[in-house]
Every structure is written in C-alpha cells, then in structure tokens.
C-alpha cells in the first residue's frame, strides 16, 4: 500500500478502522505492528472512536456474567438497542460476578471483592483486544478487618487506580478515618503510597461504587456527627491528575438521608443522585442533578420515578431515559418525561446490571497476558470474535 499512497494517507485510513480490523493488520508487517501499537496511534484512534455502551449482566440460568457492546438508535422518540454483540469474558468470579470498579477509554477495572474477599487482585481488562493486566499486590494489606475502596480513571493519558483502606478500630464495629491510600499508575506498573490528606468521610461497607466525571472519581460516603448514630452524607472526590482528595457537598435535605438510600450516577455530563424512599409504603425514588459542578446550591430535584409494579432499581441514564431493573429480571427504559417504559429484551439479575459509556481502544494490545505472545499474534491473524 505504501508504494501507491503517501504514508499520511494510509495512516488516516487506519485510524478510522475498528479495533478488530487493526488487530488483524498487526500481522501484515513489523512496521504496521509498530505503528498500530504505538502510543501516538493509540491516542489518535481513541479520539476518533465511536461512543457506545458497555452492559454487564449475570444470568442465573447459566451462572455466568455476560458483557455486551451496545449501540442505541432513536425510534419514534424513544431509544432502543440498535445492535448488541457479546465480548468473551475470560474470568470466573468466586461468588457469581465481579465488582466493576469503573470503565474508561475501553478499559474495564474489575475486582472479585464482594462481601468475602476485600483484598482480591485488581484487574484491568480491555475486552476489544482480549487482553488484561493483573495488578501487583498492593502495599497496604492489614491482617485485621478492613474495607478496600477502589477508584479508576484517566487524566492526561495516564490511567490510575486509587485504593483506600479503612481499618476497623479496636473494640468497635466502625472503621476509622482517615484511610490509608495508595495509587497504581499503569505506566509505572507499581503501587505507591500517598500522604498529606484529611479524609473525614467513610465509605459504606460492601455498597461502594464510583462515578468518574471530568477526571475526578466520586464515591458516596458519610461522616458520623455525634454519639446517637447520626451522620452526614456527602461525596468524596479524588482528582486523578493532581492526586488530591476533596468533597462535593450534598444539599442539606440529602445530607440528612442515610447513605445506603442514595446512589450516585453521571448523567449528561453532570453528577446525578437517586434517592430511594425509606418509607416502606412509598415505592418511588427521586432523581437529583448538580447543575453546576461543586456548587452545593445547584443541586436540583428533577423527577420522581414510580417504582410500583416490580421496578427495583435505577441502573443508569441515557438520553432522557432512566434504565431500570425489574424484579422479573429484565432491563427496561423509562422515559422521564412521558413515564412510559420500553422493554429492552435484556435478561439478568437486577443487582448484576452495569451500564456505562464505552469506546473500543487499542490499550493493552502489547500487554502481557496469561497466554504466550504468539497467542496475540494468532488473534491478529484470525481476528476477534464478538459473537
């Protein structure tokens, strides 16, 4: 090809191709493999990648977790699934399915820590290139009871995992603050401790999840305020780039709510929060959004979602719709304006559903896996199966 086209032209052609084709082309020649696996090409290809969605579900019938690549299409004002393909998932959880820490730029951060194993390895997996990296053992591994909270994100092209370890205080059921903190940078390949921060918020055991927004990881947390078991709910934030911890305040009405009745999301480029009713006779949840990031007064209640009729929890938001899991083990789209629902034809246990934005990338294409290097070359020749 290079004999007939200028190098710049065929590079422009390559950066517009899907990952599956590019992996095949790494077997064309050493120069093509060097180009396609280079950081610069990876970065440019990523900037041209199409936004899709990653869905995880657990099927109780085959007892496997499934990962799907979704494309959405508008149909008569409602959004349905235009196409759905499945990634081959190479891992097996000890307890059913993995906790997904987060996903960005085609990388999925996983850990098998639900309920029983707080110090399980952290895995970075790129389903598009069928490659994964198991992070080395962390520095802080207490022998006594403890909670491990993870965050994952990217800033300025550097992918980092942050790890918070809350240790149980002697003769107490609570976990002390501040936690011990350490960071893993993918380029450095090792953990390092970080110091000089004052974290007052505690993360609820077993219930934590993150929201990544504009290079900042967010977790819901709480601060005990007196001896009668009262607490203040808030959001702990970690800037990936500057490695600084901070706090995003909730409005007073939400700060008084128990943290286990709240759930944090990202919606339309803003922080969103779902508050489930604590009253057993009220089957509903309220959707709040932070109009101006970091400004407490900008929190606004937008919608109430009626959860009667088997709706169990909000899974995510997309284009004016909430995705809801129902007790019948299906996923439905709920239009926040019309309040109409549309069954998406996706089956899974309600708590297993995870959905987030996803782009295919070449990250980890040169990384080592449990397979030999020649296995990666074989994949390049045969291509990847997403069926």
């Amino acid at each position: 090809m290079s004999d007939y086209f200028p190098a710049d032209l065929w590079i422009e052609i390559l950066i517009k191709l899907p990952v599956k084709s590019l992996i095949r082309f790494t077997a064309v020649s050493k120069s093509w493999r060097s180009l396609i696996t280079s950081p610069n090409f990876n970065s440019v290809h990523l900037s041209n990648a199409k936004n899709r969605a990653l869905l995880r579900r657990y099927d109780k019938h085959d007892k496997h977790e499934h990962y799907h690549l979704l494309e959405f299409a508008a149909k008569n004002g409602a959004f349905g699934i235009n196409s759905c393909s499945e990634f081959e998932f190479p891992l097996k959880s000890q307890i059913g399915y993995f906790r997904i820490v987060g996903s960005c730029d085609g990388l999925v951060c996983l850990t098998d820590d639900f309920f029983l194993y707080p110090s399980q390895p952290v895995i970075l997996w790129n389903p598009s290139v069928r490659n994964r990296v198991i992070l080395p053992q962390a520095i802080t591994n207490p022998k006594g009871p403890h909670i491990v909270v993870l965050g994952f994100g990217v800033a300025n092209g550097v992918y980092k995992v942050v790890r918070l370890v809350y240790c149980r205080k002697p003769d107490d059921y609570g976990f002390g603050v501040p936690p011990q903190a350490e960071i893993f940078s993918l380029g450095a390949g090792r953990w390092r401790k970080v110091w000089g921060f004052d974290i007052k918020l505690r993360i609820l055991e077993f219930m934590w999840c993150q929201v990544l927004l504009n290079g900042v990881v967010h977790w819901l947390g709480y601060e005990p305020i007196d001896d009668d078991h009262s607490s203040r709910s808030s959001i702990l934030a970690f800037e990936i780039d500057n490695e600084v911890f901070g706090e995003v305040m909730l409005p007073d009405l939400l700060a008084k709510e128990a943290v286990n009745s709240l759930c944090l999301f990202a919606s339309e480029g803003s922080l969103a929060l779902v508050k489930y009713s604590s009253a057993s006779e009220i089957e509903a949840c309220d959707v709040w959004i932070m109009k101006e990031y970091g400004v407490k007064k900008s929190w606004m209640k937008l919608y109430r979602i009626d959860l009667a009729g088997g709706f169990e929890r909000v899974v995510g938001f997309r284009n004016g719709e909430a995705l809801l899991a129902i007790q019948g083990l299906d996923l439905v789209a709920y239009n926040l304006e019309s309040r109409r629902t549309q069954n998406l034809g996706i089956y899974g246990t309600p708590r297993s559903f995870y959905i987030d934005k996803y782009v295919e990338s070449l990250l980890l294409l040169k990384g080592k896996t449990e397979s030999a290097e020649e296995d990666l070359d074989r994949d390049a020749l045969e291509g990847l199966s997403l069926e």
Side-chain angles (χ1 to χ4, degrees):
M1 181 185 292
S2 59
D3 293 336
Y4 301 97
F5 295 99
D8 290 346
L9 180 57
W10 59 264
I11 290 175
E12 284 296 320
I13 295 172
L14 288 176
I15 62 175
K16 292 178 172 60
L17 295 178
V19 167
K20 182 176 180 179
S21 298
L22 290 172
I23 293 177
R24 289 195 185 104
F25 292 159
T26 60
V28 170
S29 67
K30 290 183 179 180
S31 61
W32 276 42
R33 182 178 180 86
S34 178
L35 169 68
I36 292 171
T37 58
S38 68
N40 288 340
F41 184 89
N42 194 324
S43 178
V44 175
H45 182 268
L46 185 60
S47 67
N48 286 274
K50 182 179 179 181
N51 279 315
R52 295 170 179 168
L54 177 72
L55 169 77
R56 193 275 302 278
R57 65 183 181 87
Y58 177 78
D59 191 324
K60 70 175 185 179
H61 295 112
D62 65 16
K63 294 182 170 52
H64 285 90
E65 55 186 302
H66 299 266
Y67 290 78
H68 301 272
L69 182 65
L70 304 182
E71 290 191 28
F72 290 86
K75 297 179 180 178
N76 301 322
F79 279 81
I81 294 175
N82 186 42
S83 65
C84 176
S85 54
E86 184 168 352
F87 291 117
E88 178 183 340
F89 187 56
L91 304 168
K92 178 67 175 177
S93 170
Q94 302 176 76
I95 49 177
Y97 51 88
F98 283 76
R99 186 201 297 269
I100 300 178
V101 178
S103 171
C104 69
D105 291 354
L107 292 183
V108 184
C109 184
L110 303 162
T111 183
D112 199 15
D113 73 336
F114 271 124
F115 302 108
L116 301 175
Y117 309 97
S119 296
Q120 285 298 296
V122 181
I123 300 165
L124 296 181
W125 172 51
N126 184 335
S128 296
V129 301
R130 292 205 310 195
N131 207 354
R132 63 190 184 275
V133 171
I134 299 175
L135 273 55
Q137 185 176 20
I139 301 170
T140 305
N141 290 289
K143 293 183 179 180
H146 61 283
I147 296 173
V148 174
V149 176
L150 299 171
F152 172 62
V154 61
N156 295 323
V158 180
Y159 298 87
K160 298 179 182 178
V161 177
V162 58
R163 185 173 184 265
L164 304 178
V165 182
Y166 291 84
C167 297
R168 177 162 289 173
K169 297 185 294 184
D171 303 320
D172 192 356
Y173 289 105
F175 291 85
V177 292
Q180 300 177 65
E182 50 194 307
I183 294 172
F184 178 92
S185 298
L186 186 57
R190 59 181 177 82
W191 292 96
R192 54 184 171 82
K193 288 191 175 184
V194 292
W195 311 92
F197 55 86
D198 182 22
I199 298 177
K200 297 180 180 180
L201 297 177
R202 304 177 184 182
I203 309 300
L204 190 65
E205 188 173 9
F206 308 138
M207 298 295 292
W208 63 267
C209 63
Q210 76 156 49
V211 168
L212 178 66
L213 185 66
N214 299 326
V216 181
V217 175
H218 305 81
W219 306 269
L220 278 170
Y222 68 98
E223 179 185 10
I225 56 178
D226 53 37
D227 294 333
D228 65 356
H229 304 294
S230 298
S231 64
R232 175 185 67 90
S233 294
S234 190
I235 299 172
L236 178 63
F238 175 74
E239 295 182 23
I240 296 290
D241 191 13
N242 300 321
E243 300 183 355
V244 174
F245 290 95
E247 187 175 343
V248 178
M249 304 291 288
L250 295 175
D252 293 339
L253 182 64
L254 294 178
K256 296 177 182 178
E257 295 289 333
V259 71
N260 61 355
S261 68
L262 307 175
C263 195
L264 196 61
F265 294 93
S267 176
E268 308 296 333
S270 299
L271 282 179
L273 188 141
V274 174
K275 183 188 81 67
Y276 294 91
S277 175
S278 57
S280 59
E281 68 275 9
I282 301 177
E283 297 182 56
C285 64
D286 297 325
V287 179
W288 292 67
I289 195 165
M290 194 177 213
K291 292 289 188 178
E292 186 177 351
Y293 182 80
V295 179
K296 178 180 175 181
K297 292 183 179 180
S298 72
W299 281 103
M300 180 182 297
K301 179 181 172 181
L302 294 183
Y303 306 100
R304 166 161 285 199
I305 299 176
D306 184 3
L307 297 179
F311 294 125
E312 183 163 321
R313 60 183 286 262
V314 176
V315 177
F317 296 91
R318 183 177 178 86
N319 299 311
E321 293 186 329
L323 301 178
L324 306 179
I326 61 177
Q327 293 176 7
L329 307 182
D330 288 314
L331 193 66
V332 301
Y334 176 92
N335 189 289
L336 295 168
E337 294 290 347
S338 67
R339 299 186 180 183
R340 295 179 179 176
T341 60
Q342 176 189 4
N343 196 314
L344 298 178
I346 298 174
Y347 176 90
T349 58
R351 292 289 166 182
S352 72
F353 283 123
Y354 170 93
I355 192 165
D356 199 359
K357 293 186 296 184
Y358 182 81
V359 294
E360 291 185 297
S361 79
L362 294 163
L363 291 166
L364 302 188
L365 179 57
K366 294 179 68 176
K368 300 294 183 181
T369 64
E370 294 179 1
S371 301
E373 182 67 22
E374 53 265 30
D375 289 339
L376 184 58
D377 290 337
R378 187 184 66 246
D379 286 341
L381 289 169
E382 297 175 354
L384 295 178
S385 173
L386 298 180
E387 300 300 321

